[in-house]
């Protein structure tokens, strides 16, 4: 193992809250890895932050009626807080709007520029004549040339992950005005990835140890051949290009955002020491390993484009690994921010307080490490109740409770060991190395499964040694049994810490163990973590059973949110063609009073009304039985068409038509006069 690690977790756009897909894809695995490295005694800088430039920010600002700065301030604060509450142990959670980031990115750009690392090119770019703006990245949408996704962005198709340029999109249109863009010439600076390809091929090719999903994606892009990519944009929100006469141009967000990891490191040191002195150790020292945790949609940027910019600059180390995960789906559907199909972290923390580790556990147990996976609330409940409560919690509780009961709440000394005791201790000693191997190879699901196996070992040990029976005849033997059970629990607390930090802390509190020191992992596996005679704390439950009602509420909430969202995005029906006044005046619209109402037999839609129209009583049929009961209609005044030709419906004649307004959600509303009028009143 290297002695020093710079670990980054994806810079998320500060344009919305965090959901479980982000957590499962990147932040939980990154946090497990970092906590493990610290426990192992390595030097780590764990950096992340919000990406506050780029088109998604300005689009969100427009939608919320705020300035881009107000949007990023709002979401930065919210995101930072929910990560902290969830126990993601960043050394720094920074943001790309900080001056240190602007300076770092501009200097980085300038260095490459001065080395002739860019190709300056005037080209035709799409321009929206209505909005009077060039259409970079997400300002333009069209059909993906690779997978035919009709909603591919100008910089990337989110369905197939391909990095695109706007010119590659078929049937492009502006997301600003919806108009078809025109081509207009503009000057930009390109990173000549085509020229750099041999070097990039060599770099990626030397990392056959990368996860197969990551390595495979890189290889397929390299095989297609890299093209020069513009590192500047014609936009007004972003970091100014540090060259003369470049008003209205900013650095491409995927050029400067990963540099955000570097400026975050500086930000961390400045916050800690008042100066960024020493930052280069984390970015330029060959003994430092750089590891990027991201979701699969960012693979191309972290494995090809960012390393290429680092190569072009020349003085940096390159990422040694990019353990990207695939996507996590939710209840049978893709997680979608725009459709509000997500479990939001800040809401989870509020609605299920104290259950951070349950979510960490479920997201890791189902982590989309090699293929897409799925989160369901039922599975969440099952994993909590039958794994965390029934296995982990049960073992710890028995060990602590029985120690209080039989051993006066103190760690008893071990006597002579049976063969089974020795086997159990030998097995215990093997666990930390097995878990370490899984974590070091980014197999966090496996690491977590092993951790649960250690809890199972504890349960099995107590079940087979039966201290509650033995106590009747042999108290000395019970001392040995409880000592071993407690040592297993103590080890469990150490190897749990990276995965379930809140639980590990509570467990250590019960055991009276203080094992949070850096390097504590080295002592894991030992059977003397708790010295003889040490006092054990009070027993309390580590996990609580989750009832059906809690789960049902969450599922209902999800469906309600989705429905609300669908309704909110619904637009009113298009207007019909213009008619002349004469056409309108042919219609005889009247107010009538409903005298009688009944269901039409054998029809679930039709109601039959007897309406007082001022002349006589007429029968009108109306297909509204799903919306109104006959009883609630009687006595109401309604608007109806009085001169519609009679129609036969289900064998009955209808003389007119009652008018209704259809609401957004499809429900119907009667059109009633605002005060009672005489039956037969005409409408004009
Ligand atoms: Zn595509």
């Amino acid at each position: 193992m290297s002695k020093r690690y710079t670990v980054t977790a994806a810079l998320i756009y500060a344009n919305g809250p965090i959901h479980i897909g982000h957590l499962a894809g990147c932040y939980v695995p990154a946090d497990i890895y970092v906590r493990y490295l610290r426990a192992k005694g390595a030097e780590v800088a764990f950096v992340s932050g919000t990406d506050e430039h780029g088109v998604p920010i300005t689009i969100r600002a427009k939608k919320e009626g705020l300035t881009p700065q107000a949007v990023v301030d709002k979401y930065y604060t919210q995101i930072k807080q929910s990560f902290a509450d969830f126990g993601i142990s960043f050394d720094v959670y920074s943001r790309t709007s900080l001056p240190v980031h602007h300076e770092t990115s501009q200097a980085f750009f300038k260095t490459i520029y001065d080395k002739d690392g860019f190709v300056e090119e005037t080209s035709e770019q799409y321009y929206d004549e209505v909005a009077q703006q060039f259409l970079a990245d997400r300002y333009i949408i069209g059909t993906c040339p690779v997978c035919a996704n009709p909603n591919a962005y100008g910089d990337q198709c989110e369905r197939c992950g391909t990095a695109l340029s706007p010119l590659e999109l078929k049937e492009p249109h502006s997301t600003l005005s919806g108009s078809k863009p025109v081509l207009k010439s503009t000057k930009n600076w390109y990173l000549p990835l085509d020229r750099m390809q041999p070097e990039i091929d060599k770099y990626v090719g030397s990392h056959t140890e990368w996860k197969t999903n990551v390595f495979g994606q890189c290889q397929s892009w390299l095989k297609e051949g890299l093209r020069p990519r513009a590192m500047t944009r014609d936009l007004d929100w972003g970091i100014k290009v540090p060259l003369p006469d470049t008003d209205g141009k900013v650095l491409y967000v995927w050029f400067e955002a990963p540099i955000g990891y570097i400026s975050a490191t500086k930000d961390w040191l400045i916050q800690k020491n008042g100066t960024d002195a020493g930052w280069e150790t984390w970015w330029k020292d060959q003994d430092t390993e750089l590891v990027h945790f991201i979701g699969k949609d960012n693979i191309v940027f972290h494995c090809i484009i960012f390393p290429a910019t680092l190569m072009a600059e020349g003085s940096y180390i390159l990422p040694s690994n990019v353990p990207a995960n695939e996507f996590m789906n939710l209840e049978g559907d893709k997680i979608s921010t725009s459709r509000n199909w997500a479990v939001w972290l800040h809401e989870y923390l509020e609605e299920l307080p104290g259950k951070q580790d349950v979510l960490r556990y479920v997201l890791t147990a189902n982590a989309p490490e090699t293929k897409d996976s799925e989160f369901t609330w039922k599975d969440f409940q099952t994993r909590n109740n039958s794994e965390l409560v029934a296995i982990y919690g049960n073992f710890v509780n028995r060990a602590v409770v029985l120690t209080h009961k039989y051993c006066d709440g103190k760690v008893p000394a071990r006597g002579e060991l049976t063969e089974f005791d020795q086997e159990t201790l030998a097995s215990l000693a093997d666990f930390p190395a097995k878990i370490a191997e899984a974590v070091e190879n980014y197999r966090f699901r496996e690491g977590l499964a092993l951790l649960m196996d250690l809890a199972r070992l504890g349960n099995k040990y107590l079940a087979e040694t039966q201290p509650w029976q033995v106590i009747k005849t042999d108290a000395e033997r019970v001392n040995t049994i409880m000592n071993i059970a407690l040592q297993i629990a103590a080890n469990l607390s150490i190897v749990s810490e990276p995965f379930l930090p809140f639980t590990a802390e509570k467990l250590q509190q019960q055991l009276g163990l203080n094992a949070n020191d850096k390097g504590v992992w080295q002592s894991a596996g030992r059977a003397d973590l708790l010295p003889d005679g040490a006092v054990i704390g009070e027993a309390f439950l580590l996990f609580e059973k989750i009832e059906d009602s809690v789960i049902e509420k969450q599922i209902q909430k999800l469906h309600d949110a989705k429905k609300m969202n669908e309704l909110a995005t619904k637009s009113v029906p298009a207007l019909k063609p213009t008619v002349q006044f004469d056409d309108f005046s042919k219609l005889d619209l009247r107010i009538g009073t409903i005298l009688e109402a009944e269901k039409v037999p054998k029809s679930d839609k039709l109601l039959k009304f007897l309406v007082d129209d001022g002349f006589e009583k007429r029968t009108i049929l109306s297909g509204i039985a799903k919306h109104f009961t006959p009883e609630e209609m009687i006595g109401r005044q309604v608007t109806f068409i009085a001169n519609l030709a009679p129609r036969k419906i289900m064998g009955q004649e209808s003389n007119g038509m009652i008018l209704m307004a259809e609401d957004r959600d499809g429900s119907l509303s009667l059109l009633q006069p605002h005060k009672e009028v005489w039956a037969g009143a005409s409408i004009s």
Side-chain angles (χ1 to χ4, degrees):
M1 274 190 41
S2 300
K3 58 177 183 180
R4 198 183 306 107
Y5 291 80
T6 300
V7 179
T8 75
L11 295 170
I12 197 168
Y13 280 125
N15 69 342
I18 295 290
H19 59 61
I20 55 166
H22 301 128
L23 296 175
C26 162
Y27 300 99
V28 169
D31 192 57
I32 295 171
Y33 188 68
V34 166
R35 285 175 181 271
Y36 162 76
L37 291 177
R38 292 190 192 120
K40 191 100 179 176
E43 296 292 324
V44 189
F46 185 20
V47 305
S48 187
T50 46
D51 180 352
E52 307 198 346
H53 303 121
V55 175
I57 303 292
T58 51
I59 289 177
R60 185 75 188 201
K62 221 163 240 175
K63 201 169 156 189
E64 294 197 14
L66 298 170
T67 62
Q69 191 60 49
V71 164
V72 297
D73 287 347
K74 172 180 161 182
Y75 288 110
Y76 170 74
T77 311
Q78 185 191 54
I79 291 170
K80 186 179 180 185
Q81 190 60 48
S82 20
F83 277 139
D85 294 345
F86 193 54
I88 303 293
S89 60
F90 296 124
D91 287 307
V92 64
Y93 195 71
S94 194
R95 52 197 303 195
T96 63
S97 58
L98 293 182
V100 65
H101 177 63
H102 281 241
E103 288 154 19
T104 305
S105 309
Q106 288 177 330
F108 201 106
F109 184 89
K110 198 71 186 358
T111 305
I112 300 178
Y113 177 84
D114 290 341
K115 290 168 79 174
D116 278 333
F118 292 123
V119 175
E120 196 177 311
E121 205 176 301
T122 299
S123 66
E124 305 257 275
Q125 294 294 329
Y126 281 125
Y127 183 82
D128 182 333
E129 287 183 309
V130 181
Q132 300 201 333
Q133 189 176 323
F134 277 99
L135 298 173
D137 311 328
R138 296 188 177 203
Y139 278 138
I140 191 161
I141 281 182
T143 302
C144 171
V146 178
C147 75
N149 168 17
N151 292 313
Y153 293 117
D155 59 343
Q156 190 185 25
C157 169
E158 290 201 331
R159 186 195 280 170
C160 68
T162 306
L164 298 168
S165 83
L167 295 176
E168 294 171 89
L169 293 175
K170 292 177 193 160
E171 294 172 43
H173 59 270
S174 164
T175 59
L176 291 171
S177 65
S179 67
K180 198 167 176 284
V182 298
L183 287 168
K184 197 173 162 177
S185 76
T186 179
K187 185 163 80 177
N188 277 295
W189 286 266
Y190 289 72
L191 195 62
L193 294 172
D194 51 341
R195 229 163 57 192
M196 299 176 74
Q197 175 142 10
E199 211 185 333
I200 298 167
D201 278 340
K202 204 174 132 202
Y203 162 66
V204 173
S206 72
H207 284 294
T208 48
E209 80 284 7
W210 286 0
K211 290 173 65 170
T212 45
N213 59 328
V214 175
F215 190 76
Q217 252 197 53
C218 293
Q219 288 303 329
S220 78
W221 281 310
L222 292 172
K223 225 167 93 188
E224 274 176 39
L226 300 175
R227 282 151 295 179
R229 199 170 172 89
M231 293 292 134
T232 55
R233 290 287 189 270
D234 294 279
L235 286 174
D236 51 7
W237 180 249
I239 297 177
K240 304 277 171 239
V241 174
L243 299 174
D245 303 324
T246 52
D247 274 0
K249 291 185 197 293
V250 298
L251 300 181
Y252 172 41
V253 70
W254 272 112
F255 173 78
E256 50 98 351
I259 295 173
Y261 300 134
I262 302 166
S263 21
T265 311
K266 292 182 182 177
D267 184 20
W268 169 51
L269 295 170
I270 293 168
Q271 286 181 35
K272 202 167 60 151
N273 308 328
T275 158
D276 66 8
W279 72 270
E280 284 165 312
T281 321
W282 300 98
W283 284 94
K284 298 189 174 183
D285 188 314
Q286 292 303 324
D287 282 338
T288 301
E289 272 202 45
L290 175 59
V291 180
H292 296 305
F293 281 86
I294 51 162
K296 75 170 163 190
D297 47 340
N298 289 343
I299 291 176
V300 66
F301 297 108
H302 285 78
C303 296
I304 293 177
I305 298 173
F306 185 48
T309 59
L310 293 169
M311 287 172 192
E313 201 278 350
S315 66
Y316 284 82
I317 53 171
L318 298 178
S320 52
N321 211 323
V322 185
N325 271 352
E326 301 287 297
F327 288 151
M328 175 167 264
N329 296 321
L330 170 63
E331 301 279 354
D333 200 353
K334 279 195 187 324
I335 293 178
S336 163
T337 300
S338 57
R339 287 185 296 119
N340 204 4
W341 189 251
V343 177
W344 304 102
L345 178 57
H346 65 291
E347 292 182 359
Y348 174 90
L349 292 168
E350 210 177 286
E351 290 162 21
L352 292 145
K355 298 207 188 308
Q356 289 94 329
D357 279 352
V358 181
L359 187 57
R360 289 176 69 110
Y361 179 80
V362 174
L363 295 179
T364 306
N366 287 330
E369 287 178 359
T370 52
K371 56 180 195 302
D372 288 358
S373 66
E374 179 155 23
F375 177 94
T376 69
W377 280 108
K378 278 279 166 213
D379 176 66
F380 173 87
Q381 182 189 28
T382 307
R383 287 194 184 272
N384 179 77
N385 293 356
S386 18
E387 296 174 22
L388 292 175
V389 174
I391 298 169
Y392 193 122
N394 180 48
F395 162 61
V396 168
N397 193 248
R398 284 204 292 180
V400 175
V401 167
L402 295 180
T403 301
H404 280 287
K405 202 166 165 190
Y406 304 142
C407 310
D408 215 14
K410 292 191 184 112
V411 179
R414 287 198 294 271
E416 203 179 322
L417 300 183
T418 65
E419 202 171 303
F420 183 58
D421 292 343
Q422 283 166 356
E423 275 169 25
T424 303
L425 290 178
S427 177
L428 167 65
D430 285 344
F431 270 97
K434 285 195 277 184
I435 296 172
E437 208 236 329
V439 171
E440 284 174 26
N441 289 292
Y442 311 104
R443 296 194 306 264
F444 303 107
R445 284 173 86 133
E446 184 187 323
L448 187 73
L450 285 163
L451 162 69
M452 290 305 285
D453 284 345
L454 179 56
R456 283 190 183 90
L457 177 78
N459 266 330
K460 182 172 165 241
Y461 181 74
L462 286 178
E464 298 205 6
T465 52
Q466 298 196 310
W468 45 88
Q469 290 295 340
V470 178
I471 192 68
K472 295 171 191 163
T473 54
D474 188 352
E476 277 303 301
R477 173 66 191 142
V478 168
N479 284 344
T480 302
I481 294 171
M482 292 323 300
N483 180 293
I484 290 175
L486 289 170
Q487 303 297 349
I488 295 174
N491 275 283
L492 190 58
S493 80
I494 293 175
V495 297
S496 292
E497 199 276 342
F499 300 88
L500 309 170
F502 296 88
T503 305
E505 198 190 323
K506 286 191 223 166
L507 176 49
Q508 294 193 0
Q509 192 187 327
Q510 290 192 44
L511 297 174
L513 181 70
N514 192 351
N516 293 314
D517 304 344
K518 215 169 123 180
V520 68
W521 194 278
Q522 312 300 348
S523 63
R526 282 174 19 198
D528 61 353
L529 293 180
L530 294 168
D532 295 352
V535 176
I536 298 297
E538 285 305 307
F540 59 90
L541 294 179
L542 291 176
F543 302 101
E544 292 164 355
K545 197 163 175 257
I546 294 175
E547 301 299 335
D548 289 347
S549 59
V550 173
I551 296 306
E552 281 153 15
K553 210 168 136 193
Q554 288 299 328
I555 295 173
Q556 189 55 44
K557 182 182 160 193
L558 209 46
H559 287 277
D560 288 350
K562 191 180 191 178
K563 194 167 173 207
M564 284 297 291
N565 192 265
E566 278 167 12
L567 294 178
T569 54
K570 218 166 161 178
S571 48
V572 293
L575 291 173
K576 292 177 183 171
T578 305
V579 297
Q580 298 305 315
F581 182 76
D582 283 354
D583 293 324
F584 165 72
S585 63
K586 286 178 193 162
L587 281 179
D588 194 344
L589 298 175
R590 303 260 177 163
I591 301 296
T593 304
I594 294 180
L595 302 171
E596 291 171 18
E598 63 183 45
K599 287 197 156 178
V600 172
K602 292 181 194 163
S603 167
D604 55 358
K605 281 192 199 145
L606 281 180
L607 290 183
K608 179 177 164 184
F609 299 109
L610 189 64
V611 180
D612 179 358
D613 64 4
F615 300 96
E616 52 190 10
K617 292 166 192 170
R618 67 164 78 197
T619 299
I620 301 180
L621 294 167
S622 184
I624 57 173
K626 286 193 171 150
H627 300 269
F628 301 97
T629 63
E631 295 71 34
E632 66 181 319
M633 293 296 288
I634 293 172
R636 285 192 189 273
Q637 292 207 302
V638 293
T639 306
F640 70 99
I641 306 176
N643 61 340
L644 194 65
R647 285 192 302 163
K648 276 222 157 164
I649 311 171
M650 303 260 313
Q652 313 224 23
E653 193 175 88
S654 179
N655 290 287
M657 184 172 136
I658 295 174
L659 301 181
M660 302 271 163
E662 188 180 333
D663 205 353
R664 193 190 283 272
D665 63 359
S667 66
L668 297 180
S669 179
L670 296 173
L671 303 181
Q672 294 177 289
H674 93 277
K675 69 177 178 66
E676 185 153 333
V677 297
W678 60 328
S682 73
I683 298 175
S684 57

